[in-house]
Amino acid sequence: MSKRGDMRRRRLLAAAASRFWHQGYGSTSLADIARDAEVPLGNVYYYFRTKQDIAAGVADIFVAETQTMLEEVAEAESDPRRRVISLLRRLSQSSRSRVEHGCPISLAVRDFKADAPQAASRAAQSFELLTGFIGRELQRTGSRPSVALAKAREIIVEWQGGISLAHALGDATVLAESFRRAEQRLLKV
């Protein structure tokens, strides 16, 4: 694919990710995505045969961004607890948008399930990556694997639950409290 074509493909995926997040997968048309990406509707089919293919591309972005974030955290910190705390702080940087719109990954997993189940599974891999990273880091502190995995899941549930409730109530304090509780749990490990 040419450089220009690659740029159009990325614009289409960015437009789709934004639309899916803000108005839902089912309510988003290919015409909406094309218009937002400033790509003629007929050209969308050159890059993606179906809306499900676009969903798969969006899911790939979520996974790639999660992997990149985890690599950056691992490079910046050597202490396992500090790595997890650094990760939580990175996640908290997007709190405002999460309070306004919810979590784009969890919404994609939910919305893709019926029409694009492979894309839903792929998007869910972001949560698996986060849970695995936290679990491995907690094992490095001396926790047994089963305890570390349970604690990692607890942290992800705390974060996602905080997003859900903060979004429902329109209250950023709820999400800030979730991050504080997650950090406090880490200090007890």
Side-chain angles (χ1 to χ4, degrees), residues 142-157:
S143 292
R144 288 188 328 235
S146 61
V147 172
L149 179 59
K151 188 65 76 173
R153 288 179 178 154
E154 185 179 309
I155 289 168
I156 297 301
V157 167

Side-chain angles (χ1 to χ4, degrees), residues 117-147:
Q118 290 179 326
S121 294
R122 177 70 171 151
Q125 287 177 358
S126 290
F127 294 125
E128 292 170 3
L129 289 168
L130 290 164
T131 303
F133 178 86
I134 294 168
R136 284 187 303 279
E137 294 305 315
L138 295 179
Q139 283 182 52
R140 290 180 59 214
T141 68
S143 292
R144 288 188 328 235
S146 61
V147 172

Side-chain angles (χ1 to χ4, degrees), residues 54-76:
I54 294 174
V58 169
D60 286 341
I61 289 171
F62 293 150
V63 170
E65 288 178 348
T66 301
Q67 287 173 324
T68 299
M69 177 179 53
L70 294 175
E71 289 166 6
E72 290 171 358
V73 167
E75 285 179 24

Side-chain angles (χ1 to χ4, degrees), residues 167-189:
H167 174 63
L169 300 176
D171 185 354
T173 306
V174 173
L175 187 51
E177 290 168 350
S178 288
F179 280 115
R180 270 195 304 281
R181 278 191 301 275
E183 277 194 42
Q184 288 170 351
R185 286 185 179 121
L186 282 172
L187 298 174
K188 293 178 184 175
V189 173

